[in-house]
C-alpha cells in the first residue's frame, strides 16, 4: 500500500510541493548494525528499498526523489522480489539523475541504517504501525487515498489555503492488491 500511496501523493507534491512540507517516512525495525538487520512490513526487499529511498532523500532534492519513486513504482514493482529488481532500481535511479553507486553505498552501510533508524524511531514515537499513514500537522488523515483526497487533507490544514488548492486532481485511487507473504 505504501507504493500506491506514493503514486497518489506524487501529483500532490507536483501541485503543492513548494507550499507544503511533504515528507515520506518509513516503518521498520532496525535490530543490528547491518542492512540485513532491518525488518520492514513486507520483508527484505522492502527493507532494501526503504534504505535506498532514505539515502536518496538525504542526497537529492524532493523533485529528484519523487521522479525516482514514480519510475520505480511504475516499472519495477513486478520484479520486486526477484534478481532483476537490482537492475531496475539502478535504471530508475539513473533516469532520475541519481548516482546509483553513491546510493548503493549509503543504503548498505551505517549511514543508511542510521537514516532508516531515525524514521523507525519517529514512527514508533507517533504510534504508527501501518502503511500508509498520512500525518498532517500532527493529525492522522482518514480521508480518501487518492491524489485529490490527499490534496484536500493538506489544503484543509492551511490557515489560508494557497490558490493551488482550487485545482482538482484525480479522485481515483488504486485498489489494494498483493499480500504480505
Amino acid at each position: 500500500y505504501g507504493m500506491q500511496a506514493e503514486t497518489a501523493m506524487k501529483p500532490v507534491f507536483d501541485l503543492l510541493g513548494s507550499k507544503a512540507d511533504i515528507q515520506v517516512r518509513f516503518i521498520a525495525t532496525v535490530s543490528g548494525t547491518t542492512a540485513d538487520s532491518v525488518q520492514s512490513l513486507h520483508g527484505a526487499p522492502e527493507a532494501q528499498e526503504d534504505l535506498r529511498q532514505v539515502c536518496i532523500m538525504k542526497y537529492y532534492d524532493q523533485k529528484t526523489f519523487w521522479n525516482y519513486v514514480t519510475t520505480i513504482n511504475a516499472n519495477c514493482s513486478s520484479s520486486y522480489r526477484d534478481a532483476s529488481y537490482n537492475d531496475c532500481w539502478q535504471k530508475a535511479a539513473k533516469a532520475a539523475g541519481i548516482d546509483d553507486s553513491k546510493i548503493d553505498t549509503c543504503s548498505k552501510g551505517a549511514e543508511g541504517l542510521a537514516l532508516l533508524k531515525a524514521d523507525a524511531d519517529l514512527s514508533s514515537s507517533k504510534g504508527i504501525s501501518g502503511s500508509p499513514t498520512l500525518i498532517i500537522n500532527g493529525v492522522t488523515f482518514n480521508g480518501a487515498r487518492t491524489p485529490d483526497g490527499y490534496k484536500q487533507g493538506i489544503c484543509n490544514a492551511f490557515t489560508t489555503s494557497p490558490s493551488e488548492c482550487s485545482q482538482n486532481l484525480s479522485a481515483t485511487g488504486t485498489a489494494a492488491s498483493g499480500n504480505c507473504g
Side-chain angles (χ1 to χ4, degrees):
Y1 301 123
M3 288 173 30
Q4 293 169 358
E6 286 176 335
T7 299
M9 187 58 78
K10 171 65 163 77
V12 181
F13 170 78
D14 290 343
L15 183 67
L16 297 172
S18 66
K19 311 281 179 168
D21 183 15
I22 299 172
Q23 298 178 20
V24 174
R25 297 290 179 235
F26 297 94
I27 301 168
T29 301
V30 180
S31 59
T33 59
T34 66
D36 292 339
S37 70
V38 175
Q39 296 175 351
S40 279
L41 295 173
H42 300 104
E46 180 180 42
Q48 292 167 356
E49 185 56 34
D50 292 352
L51 286 160
R52 286 185 201 105
Q53 289 187 24
V54 294
C55 290
I56 290 168
M57 285 186 277
K58 176 178 180 177
Y59 286 106
Y60 295 90
D61 63 22
Q62 286 280 310
K63 184 176 181 182
T64 302
F65 168 77
W66 284 103
N67 287 338
Y68 170 78
V69 165
T70 299
T71 302
I72 199 157
N73 289 351
N75 299 331
C76 302
S77 63
S78 64
S79 65
Y80 191 58
R81 294 192 180 271
D82 64 45
S84 66
Y85 189 78
N86 194 52
D87 289 336
C88 197
W89 90 259
Q90 289 173 327
K91 287 178 186 173
K94 288 176 183 172
I98 293 169
D99 179 346
D100 61 311
S101 178
K102 179 178 189 171
I103 298 308
D104 195 46
T105 299
C106 174
S107 70
K108 290 179 179 173
E111 182 179 31
L113 208 58
L115 293 167
L116 189 58
K117 183 156 182 17
D119 274 14
D121 290 347
L122 179 66
S123 296
S124 179
S125 74
K126 295 191 177 292
I128 298 169
S129 61
S131 173
T133 299
L134 179 62
I135 307 288
I136 303 172
N137 292 344
V139 177
T140 301
F141 171 77
N142 290 312
R145 292 180 180 178
T146 65
D148 204 63
Y150 288 156
K151 179 207 72 170
Q152 284 303 97
I154 293 169
C155 287
N156 289 342
F158 282 102
T159 302
T160 303
S161 297
S163 62
E164 291 87 349
C165 289
S166 65
Q167 294 183 36
N168 290 323
L169 297 177
S170 173
T172 304
T174 305
S177 63
N179 61 46
C180 296

